[in-house]
Amino acid sequence: MSAPSAEIKRGRKFDQVVEGARKIFLADGYEGASVDLIAKEAGVSKATLYNYFPDKGLLFMEVATRECQRHAEVAVQAIDPPLSAPVVLRQIAEQLQAFMLSDLGSGMFRICTAESGRFPQIGQEFCKYGPEVVCKAIVPFLQAATQRGELDIEDYELAAYQFMELIKAELWVKRIMGIDCDFSPEKRQKVIDGAIEMFMARYAAKKP
């Protein structure tokens, strides 16, 4: 894809265009989503669409950033400090893994990786509305679990990022490389189970 080379403009039908694009991107992916289909789904003319988004890459990034933020917020809402660490970690893992392995989630990562050298703001937006949001939400939970004696963690931010990486084991690389894009529920749960077991093996407080 070509790098986004212009700025978006906002107007009365801005959200309408973004929602229409979201549906098409989710159904057809980036390459398969034509501007004609997006405009039709959004109920606007191509001229209106191009007025808001001069480049399809810009439109995809707007959709993907919103989706990343939405899924991060859903994962954050699953955090209930009084619950045991394994229970909360599983809720977080299921939400995050689902987005990471989705067409939109993996597509956004590819675009950020390809274009962040020339357009650093793309990578910055990805981190700001994705991993950083989740990390900042997980840290207070880890602190609470440590304070009540369930976990034993010194560097909470590092532990949060480690867990986010563990839930991608094997699956993420294959998804990004296009080797396997349709993992069974059993396979995905196996990775989550392993992530939780490994995290707890490292950070569970040792009983006296």
Side-chain angles (χ1 to χ4, degrees):
M1 61 165 288
S2 59
S5 57
E7 295 183 357
I8 63 175
K9 298 179 181 179
R10 297 182 180 273
R12 183 170 57 87
K13 295 185 178 181
F14 183 86
D15 289 335
Q16 185 175 328
V17 170
V18 173
E19 179 57 25
R22 175 182 176 275
K23 293 179 180 178
I24 298 300
F25 283 135
L26 285 173
D28 302 332
Y30 179 81
E31 295 299 334
S34 70
V35 174
D36 288 325
L37 284 175
I38 294 173
K40 182 178 180 180
E41 180 64 36
V44 300
S45 66
K46 287 177 64 175
T48 296
L49 189 152
Y50 278 124
N51 182 54
Y52 293 139
F53 297 95
D55 186 285
K56 191 174 78 167
L58 286 171
L59 179 52
F60 182 88
M61 284 306 303
E62 177 70 22
V63 171
T65 300
R66 287 191 181 195
E67 283 297 292
C68 190
Q69 184 174 14
R70 183 173 70 84
H71 282 271
E73 290 173 350
V74 170
V76 167
Q77 292 171 3
I79 299 175
D80 189 354
L83 296 179
S84 68
V87 171
V88 177
L89 291 173
R90 183 173 300 279
Q91 293 172 333
I92 296 171
E94 290 176 349
Q95 291 291 337
L96 291 181
Q97 190 191 77
F99 177 63
M100 291 173 179
L101 298 179
S102 69
D103 289 343
L104 194 60
S106 57
M108 179 182 183
F109 180 82
R110 290 192 186 98
I111 291 176
C112 290
T113 302
E115 305 297 346
S116 60
R118 288 182 294 171
F119 298 90
Q121 70 274 17
I122 290 180
Q124 292 168 2
E125 289 294 300
F126 172 80
C127 290
K128 178 180 178 181
Y129 292 110
E132 287 184 10
V133 169
V134 179
C135 179
K136 289 178 181 178
I138 294 178
V139 164
F141 158 70
L142 297 178
Q143 291 173 328
T146 298
Q147 290 171 0
R148 66 172 179 256
E150 185 178 5
L151 300 177
D152 182 10
I153 300 174
E154 293 184 2
D155 191 329
Y156 298 104
E157 187 170 301
L158 173 62
Y161 277 115
Q162 286 174 333
F163 183 70
M164 284 189 275
E165 291 301 314
L166 286 172
I167 64 176
K168 300 190 298 184
E170 182 185 353
L171 309 181
W172 177 244
V173 173
K174 289 183 177 180
R175 182 68 175 88
I176 291 299
M177 298 299 173
I179 298 173
D180 192 347
C181 299
D182 188 20
F183 303 105
S184 69
E186 292 77 17
K187 179 64 174 179
R188 292 168 62 163
Q189 281 301 314
K190 181 179 180 180
V191 172
I192 290 176
D193 290 343
I196 295 172
E197 290 172 8
M198 184 171 289
F199 188 88
M200 294 302 295
R202 170 63 180 85
Y203 290 115
K206 305 299 186 291
K207 295 182 179 180

